[in-house]
mmCIF file of all heavy atoms in Angstrom:
data_model
loop_
_atom_site.group_PDB
_atom_site.id
_atom_site.type_symbol
_atom_site.label_atom_id
_atom_site.label_comp_id
_atom_site.label_asym_id
_atom_site.label_seq_id
_atom_site.Cartn_x
_atom_site.Cartn_y
_atom_site.Cartn_z
ATOM 1 N N ARG L 231 52.085 -33.591 -23.516
ATOM 2 C CA ARG L 231 53.155 -32.679 -23.107
ATOM 3 C C ARG L 231 54.494 -33.401 -23.105
ATOM 4 O O ARG L 231 55.511 -32.855 -23.550
ATOM 5 C CB ARG L 231 52.853 -32.105 -21.721
ATOM 6 C CG ARG L 231 53.849 -31.027 -21.267
ATOM 7 C CD ARG L 231 53.371 -30.373 -19.992
ATOM 8 N NE ARG L 231 52.084 -29.724 -20.175
ATOM 9 C CZ ARG L 231 51.334 -29.263 -19.169
ATOM 10 N NH1 ARG L 231 51.745 -29.409 -17.918
ATOM 11 N NH2 ARG L 231 50.180 -28.674 -19.419
ATOM 12 N N ALA L 232 54.505 -34.631 -22.630
ATOM 13 C CA ALA L 232 55.751 -35.406 -22.613
ATOM 14 C C ALA L 232 56.222 -35.709 -24.032
ATOM 15 O O ALA L 232 57.421 -35.684 -24.308
ATOM 16 C CB ALA L 232 55.549 -36.698 -21.834
ATOM 17 N N VAL L 233 55.275 -35.975 -24.931
ATOM 18 C CA VAL L 233 55.631 -36.211 -26.337
ATOM 19 C C VAL L 233 56.280 -34.974 -26.932
ATOM 20 O O VAL L 233 57.314 -35.053 -27.606
ATOM 21 C CB VAL L 233 54.386 -36.611 -27.161
ATOM 22 C CG1 VAL L 233 54.735 -36.672 -28.651
ATOM 23 C CG2 VAL L 233 53.842 -37.951 -26.699
ATOM 24 N N GLU L 234 55.688 -33.812 -26.671
ATOM 25 C CA GLU L 234 56.215 -32.563 -27.230
ATOM 26 C C GLU L 234 57.596 -32.251 -26.648
ATOM 27 O O GLU L 234 58.492 -31.811 -27.372
ATOM 28 C CB GLU L 234 55.252 -31.413 -26.943
ATOM 29 C CG GLU L 234 55.667 -30.074 -27.542
ATOM 30 C CD GLU L 234 55.740 -30.083 -29.061
ATOM 31 O OE1 GLU L 234 55.097 -30.943 -29.687
ATOM 32 O OE2 GLU L 234 56.441 -29.214 -29.621
ATOM 33 N N GLU L 235 57.773 -32.492 -25.363
ATOM 34 C CA GLU L 235 59.072 -32.240 -24.743
ATOM 35 C C GLU L 235 60.135 -33.164 -25.325
ATOM 36 O O GLU L 235 61.264 -32.740 -25.610
ATOM 37 C CB GLU L 235 58.975 -32.432 -23.229
ATOM 38 C CG GLU L 235 58.202 -31.318 -22.520
ATOM 39 C CD GLU L 235 58.057 -31.578 -21.034
ATOM 40 O OE1 GLU L 235 58.456 -32.688 -20.581
ATOM 41 O OE2 GLU L 235 57.540 -30.699 -20.329
ATOM 42 N N LYS L 236 59.785 -34.424 -25.512
ATOM 43 C CA LYS L 236 60.722 -35.376 -26.099
ATOM 44 C C LYS L 236 61.073 -34.976 -27.528
ATOM 45 O O LYS L 236 62.235 -34.983 -27.938
ATOM 46 C CB LYS L 236 60.124 -36.778 -26.072
ATOM 47 C CG LYS L 236 60.962 -37.850 -26.746
ATOM 48 C CD LYS L 236 62.202 -38.213 -25.954
ATOM 49 C CE LYS L 236 61.844 -39.038 -24.748
ATOM 50 N NZ LYS L 236 63.071 -39.520 -24.023
ATOM 51 N N PHE L 237 60.059 -34.582 -28.287
ATOM 52 C CA PHE L 237 60.269 -34.152 -29.669
ATOM 53 C C PHE L 237 61.166 -32.924 -29.736
ATOM 54 O O PHE L 237 62.120 -32.872 -30.523
ATOM 55 C CB PHE L 237 58.924 -33.848 -30.341
ATOM 56 C CG PHE L 237 59.052 -33.033 -31.598
ATOM 57 C CD1 PHE L 237 59.486 -33.614 -32.785
ATOM 58 C CD2 PHE L 237 58.757 -31.676 -31.594
ATOM 59 C CE1 PHE L 237 59.611 -32.864 -33.946
ATOM 60 C CE2 PHE L 237 58.888 -30.925 -32.747
ATOM 61 C CZ PHE L 237 59.313 -31.510 -33.924
ATOM 62 N N GLN L 238 60.892 -31.924 -28.915
ATOM 63 C CA GLN L 238 61.671 -30.683 -28.938
ATOM 64 C C GLN L 238 63.126 -30.941 -28.581
ATOM 65 O O GLN L 238 64.043 -30.374 -29.189
ATOM 66 C CB GLN L 238 61.056 -29.660 -27.981
ATOM 67 C CG GLN L 238 59.714 -29.112 -28.416
ATOM 68 C CD GLN L 238 59.794 -28.256 -29.661
ATOM 69 O OE1 GLN L 238 60.870 -27.813 -30.062
ATOM 70 N NE2 GLN L 238 58.655 -28.014 -30.303
ATOM 71 N N GLY L 239 63.357 -31.802 -27.592
ATOM 72 C CA GLY L 239 64.727 -32.111 -27.203
ATOM 73 C C GLY L 239 65.499 -32.810 -28.316
ATOM 74 O O GLY L 239 66.653 -32.455 -28.598
ATOM 75 N N LEU L 240 64.858 -33.758 -28.974
ATOM 76 C CA LEU L 240 65.515 -34.476 -30.068
ATOM 77 C C LEU L 240 65.694 -33.583 -31.292
ATOM 78 O O LEU L 240 66.730 -33.644 -31.969
ATOM 79 C CB LEU L 240 64.700 -35.718 -30.436
ATOM 80 C CG LEU L 240 64.662 -36.814 -29.370
ATOM 81 C CD1 LEU L 240 63.600 -37.846 -29.707
ATOM 82 C CD2 LEU L 240 66.029 -37.480 -29.231
ATOM 83 N N ALA L 241 64.698 -32.763 -31.583
ATOM 84 C CA ALA L 241 64.793 -31.850 -32.724
ATOM 85 C C ALA L 241 65.947 -30.872 -32.538
ATOM 86 O O ALA L 241 66.701 -30.587 -33.474
ATOM 87 C CB ALA L 241 63.475 -31.094 -32.905
ATOM 88 N N SER L 242 66.106 -30.360 -31.311
ATOM 89 C CA SER L 242 67.208 -29.446 -31.020
ATOM 90 C C SER L 242 68.551 -30.153 -31.179
ATOM 91 O O SER L 242 69.518 -29.585 -31.709
ATOM 92 C CB SER L 242 67.062 -28.905 -29.593
ATOM 93 O OG SER L 242 68.148 -28.085 -29.248
ATOM 94 N N MET L 243 68.614 -31.416 -30.755
ATOM 95 C CA MET L 243 69.843 -32.198 -30.880
ATOM 96 C C MET L 243 70.189 -32.403 -32.358
ATOM 97 O O MET L 243 71.349 -32.260 -32.768
ATOM 98 C CB MET L 243 69.675 -33.542 -30.178
ATOM 99 C CG MET L 243 70.946 -34.362 -30.060
ATOM 100 S SD MET L 243 70.648 -35.955 -29.235
ATOM 101 C CE MET L 243 69.977 -35.401 -27.661
ATOM 102 N N ILE L 244 69.182 -32.714 -33.178
ATOM 103 C CA ILE L 244 69.419 -32.927 -34.604
ATOM 104 C C ILE L 244 69.862 -31.635 -35.276
ATOM 105 O O ILE L 244 70.790 -31.622 -36.089
ATOM 106 C CB ILE L 244 68.156 -33.490 -35.280
ATOM 107 C CG1 ILE L 244 67.894 -34.911 -34.785
ATOM 108 C CG2 ILE L 244 68.298 -33.478 -36.805
ATOM 109 C CD1 ILE L 244 66.579 -35.497 -35.240
ATOM 110 N N ASP L 245 69.220 -30.519 -34.928
ATOM 111 C CA ASP L 245 69.626 -29.224 -35.485
ATOM 112 C C ASP L 245 71.084 -28.928 -35.163
ATOM 113 O O ASP L 245 71.842 -28.436 -36.008
ATOM 114 C CB ASP L 245 68.729 -28.105 -34.936
ATOM 115 C CG ASP L 245 67.344 -28.101 -35.563
ATOM 116 O OD1 ASP L 245 67.205 -28.591 -36.703
ATOM 117 O OD2 ASP L 245 66.404 -27.618 -34.909
ATOM 118 N N SER L 246 71.480 -29.222 -33.928
ATOM 119 C CA SER L 246 72.861 -28.976 -33.515
ATOM 120 C C SER L 246 73.831 -29.856 -34.290
ATOM 121 O O SER L 246 74.879 -29.392 -34.749
ATOM 122 C CB SER L 246 72.999 -29.220 -32.013
ATOM 123 O OG SER L 246 74.333 -29.067 -31.594
#
Side-chain angles (χ1 to χ4, degrees):
R231 186 172 299 169
V233 173
E234 183 62 22
E235 288 177 354
K236 176 72 74 175
F237 163 76
Q238 291 293 344
L240 292 168
S242 176
M243 189 181 302
I244 292 172
D245 285 334
S246 177

